[in-house]
Amino acid sequence: LNHRIPSSHPSRLPMSEPNEKQMKAAFKEGGKRGIEMEGASLAGLVWMNVAVHEAAGDAALLKEVIRGMNQEVDENAEDRKGGAGDIAKLVLSAGDDKLALRNHVPEKLVATLTAKEWMEFVVEKLGGKVTEASDSDAAGEVPLDEDKGRFPLKMRDEGIAVSIELLRGKGVFPEDSDDDDEEYIYGDDDLGV
């Protein structure tokens, strides 16, 4: 069966400017994901790929997600958020009509790979375009193409794989290992907690 949603359906129409509730939700998701990333960085991983949901393929909301990730951690807060400002990240969000991507590379890491180079590599492989680019921040998008079977959710996963390929080529992302002896599980004892 063909379950295509007609292009006139409200879910397929271009999204209007995000409202305050959507911006807050995107910032909150970024804060939560940021603290998770900060934890992963304790194991030495400082180049990451992150799929998020609240941005729904919207560039402005994706920018807000990264703002939430990069916020300073309030050590006195009951619910810690943010803390990923020193981590290079590519954030991907699948919407109904496109895949939106945004990345951030801290100044201390741009000598290894700039945000612009990272974004160009990924969106070129996916058939999209860069919409904004500098050494530390870049954005891009890849449109839905039903005729070619190019759906945002599927492209999000492909984008992560393409990014990992580039990062491994730069020597900043761990290689897969089939050797069970080399797999580590980090628990509270390992992290000194």
Side-chain angles (χ1 to χ4, degrees):
L1 291 173
N2 188 348
H3 296 289
R4 289 186 181 179
I5 299 171
S7 60
S8 60
H9 189 274
S11 70
R12 298 283 301 275
L13 298 176
M15 189 171 163
S16 60
E17 288 297 312
N19 62 40
E20 187 176 338
K21 183 178 177 182
Q22 292 168 314
M23 295 292 270
K24 283 183 179 180
F27 183 81
K28 183 177 180 179
E29 181 181 23
K32 287 180 179 181
R33 299 305 300 270
I35 207 69
E36 293 168 2
M37 294 165 67
E38 181 192 42
S41 73
L42 296 174
L45 192 61
V46 294
W47 293 82
M48 299 185 194
N49 300 284
V50 184
V52 296
H53 305 289
E54 291 295 336
D58 181 81
L61 291 174
L62 207 48
K63 194 172 197 173
E64 201 63 12
V65 168
I66 288 188
R67 199 172 72 80
M69 290 175 169
N70 289 347
Q71 70 182 304
E72 293 291 324
V73 176
D74 179 355
E75 298 296 340
N76 298 321
E78 187 176 317
D79 188 20
R80 296 181 70 222
K81 296 178 185 137
D86 289 337
I87 297 167
K89 62 195 77 61
L90 173 65
V91 184
L92 304 94
S93 177
D96 291 328
D97 63 344
K98 69 181 174 194
L99 172 69
L101 306 94
R102 179 168 280 281
N103 63 0
H104 172 75
V105 177
E107 196 63 39
K108 67 182 183 181
L109 298 175
V110 297
T112 303
L113 178 67
T114 68
K116 179 182 179 193
E117 293 166 329
W118 192 1
M119 185 62 65
E120 286 174 344
F121 183 85
V122 175
V123 298
E124 181 181 305
K125 294 268 188 172
L126 298 176
K129 65 180 179 179
V130 174
T131 58
E132 177 184 327
S134 72
D135 285 350
S136 59
D137 295 284
E141 60 183 40
V142 186
L144 163 75
D145 188 341
E146 290 180 11
D147 295 335
K148 292 182 180 177
R150 307 288 295 156
F151 297 93
L153 205 53
K154 193 171 157 184
M155 289 186 294
R156 183 192 69 195
D157 295 339
E158 185 181 337
I160 290 171
V162 166
S163 176
I164 289 171
E165 170 192 332
L166 174 66
L167 296 176
R168 283 190 175 143
K170 294 283 185 179
V172 296
F173 198 87
E175 294 289 335
D176 284 334
S177 173
D178 293 334
D179 185 355
D180 289 341
D181 294 339
E182 292 184 28
E183 291 184 26
Y184 297 97
I185 298 175
Y186 293 98
D188 291 345
D189 294 338
D190 300 310
L191 300 176
V193 176

